[in-house]
């Protein structure tokens, strides 16, 4: 294929290095599935997205999302970051503040507010549902939560395209100091067909209402810097239990400090019960892909 634009950016951060990195190929025509997987493996970033013309008149563009190991049907920070790149390059324009993305889970709207570095983009995430509510002493969870003081809400397995176990911890200090047991988290992910364990705690910070850590035990073990999808399933669970923080269904979370980042994600649960996950993004690298 001829050389084409290539962008790397930081999503959910107010400065380079604070958020979750993403690579975007704004025009991927000419790339096949093997090419896209190879490029995503080469970038070694959490995800790389590839943009194509929309297959329908109702969407502004189509996006395919690849991790270094496989194609992903939906993810939050790649959806938000891809929209930022396309807006910055003038390749799409929001209509009444809305873009529509076509991806493997269907067509999803994105709300666009502001311009430039003050712009925020939020994607309406796929509907998440409760798979099962458990107890901290559940044999599948016991080792992963060993030594951690849990909060008021019971652990739950949620499915929002990807499955996550969610567990509330007693307070932010408990969450910040937690040391994940990777063998236990990996076993939990395998036993339940989930991504792993996402823990959260309420915060008294004036900027964010929750602190969150997402421990991935599937397809390798690592701590996610900033997961829009995991936080969307968490928002759906809090709404289910009438336990949302903030006002009017809107709140912010902090994630990534324990692994050298400092991301802020904005969540909103609207009157229809739909969850919107978003925030800011900042371009760090503009280049050319010669593949």
């Amino acid at each position: 294929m001829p050389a084409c634009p290539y962008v790397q950016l930081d999503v959910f951060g107010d400065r380079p290095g604070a958020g979750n990195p993403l690579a975007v190929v704004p025009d991927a025509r000419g790339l096949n599935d093997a090419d896209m997987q190879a490029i995503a493996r080469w970038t070694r970033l959490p995800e790389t997205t590839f943009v194509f013309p929309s297959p329908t008149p109702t969407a502004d563009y189509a996006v395919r999302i690849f991790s270094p190991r496989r194609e992903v049907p939906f993810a939050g920070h790649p959806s938000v970051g891809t929209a930022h790149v396309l807006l910055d390059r003038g390749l799409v324009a929001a209509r009444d503040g809305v873009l529509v993305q076509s991806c493997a889970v269907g067509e999803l709207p994105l709300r666009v507010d502001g311009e430039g570095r003050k712009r925020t983009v939020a994607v309406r995430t796929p509907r998440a549902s409760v798979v099962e509510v458990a107890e901290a002493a559940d044999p599948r969870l016991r080792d992963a939560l060993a030594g951690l003081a849990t909060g008021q809400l019971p652990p739950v397995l949620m499915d929002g395209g990807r499955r996550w176990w969610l567990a509330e911890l007693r307070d932010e200090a408990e969450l910040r100091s937690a040391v994940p047991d990777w063998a236990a988290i990996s076993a939990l992910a395998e036993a339940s067909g989930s991504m792993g364990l996402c823990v959260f705690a309420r915060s008294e910070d004036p900027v964010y209402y929750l602190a969150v850590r997402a421990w991935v035990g599937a397809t390798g073990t690592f701590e996610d810097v900033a997961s829009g999808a995991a936080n969307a399933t968490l928002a759906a669970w809090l709404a289910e239990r009438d336990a949302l923080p903030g006002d009017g269904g809107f709140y912010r979370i902090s994630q990534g400090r324990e692994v050298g980042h400092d991301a802020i994600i904005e969540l909103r649960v609207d009157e229809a019960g739909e969850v919107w996950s978003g925030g800011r993004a900042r371009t760090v690298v503009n280049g050319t892909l010669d593949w």
Side-chain angles (χ1 to χ4, degrees):
M1 64 172 286
C4 66
Y6 171 81
V7 182
Q8 285 188 203
L9 64 160
D10 213 28
V11 184
F12 301 142
D14 61 354
R15 61 191 184 279
N20 208 351
L22 173 72
V24 178
V25 179
D27 183 357
R29 288 175 293 181
L31 292 174
N32 59 32
D33 289 10
D35 291 331
M36 289 185 281
Q37 186 61 77
I39 292 168
R41 185 167 56 248
W42 172 76
T43 69
R44 302 184 70 181
L45 296 177
E47 278 94 14
T48 301
T49 66
F50 301 87
V51 181
F52 296 88
S54 170
T56 71
T58 51
D60 294 288
Y61 57 92
V63 64
R64 294 182 65 180
I65 306 169
F66 285 78
S67 76
R69 296 190 179 201
R70 61 187 176 90
E71 186 168 9
V72 178
F74 169 77
H77 100 275
S79 298
V80 169
T82 299
H84 272 280
V85 170
L86 299 180
L87 288 164
D88 281 346
R89 290 176 168 266
L91 298 175
V92 297
R95 290 168 287 182
D96 297 324
V98 175
L99 292 173
V100 178
Q101 162 188 291
S102 174
C103 61
V105 297
E107 294 187 355
L108 299 174
L110 299 100
R111 288 178 176 164
V112 181
D113 292 302
E115 297 180 355
R117 291 191 176 175
K118 293 185 178 181
R119 181 201 299 130
T120 61
V121 174
V123 60
R124 193 191 72 195
T125 61
R127 279 264 185 175
S129 59
V130 175
V131 177
E132 65 171 303
V133 179
E135 297 180 357
D138 185 296
R140 295 167 298 173
L141 291 164
R142 185 178 52 228
D143 291 343
L145 291 173
L148 298 177
T150 54
Q152 294 183 352
L153 292 179
V156 63
L157 179 61
M158 296 287 292
D159 191 333
R162 289 175 165 181
R163 289 188 172 190
W164 279 97
W165 279 100
L166 309 176
E168 183 178 15
L169 299 188
R170 178 180 59 196
D171 53 34
E172 185 173 0
E174 180 76 7
L175 178 133
R176 298 289 187 192
S177 63
V179 178
D181 182 330
W182 290 114
I185 291 166
S186 181
L188 173 64
E190 182 177 356
S192 55
S194 68
M195 293 296 295
L197 177 63
C198 178
V199 291
F200 65 98
R202 296 181 185 270
S203 172
E204 298 298 324
D205 190 274
V207 175
Y208 56 88
Y209 294 80
L210 298 178
V212 175
R213 297 179 69 180
W215 298 324
V216 179
T219 65
T221 55
F222 64 94
E223 181 160 349
D224 201 323
V225 171
S227 174
N231 276 285
T233 64
L234 172 56
W237 169 236
L238 295 175
E240 171 84 13
R241 287 299 178 109
D242 195 25
L244 286 168
D247 298 311
F250 175 83
Y251 65 96
R252 297 184 185 90
I253 70 95
S254 165
Q255 188 177 351
R257 288 185 182 176
E258 293 72 24
V259 284
H261 296 252
D262 191 12
I264 296 291
I265 304 178
E266 298 181 347
L267 284 302
R268 184 184 300 278
V269 181
D270 65 22
E271 294 180 355
E274 300 286 359
V275 177
W276 299 76
S277 176
R280 296 186 181 185
R282 182 166 178 174
T283 297
V284 179
V285 176
N286 271 306
T288 301
L289 179 67
D290 188 359
W291 194 260

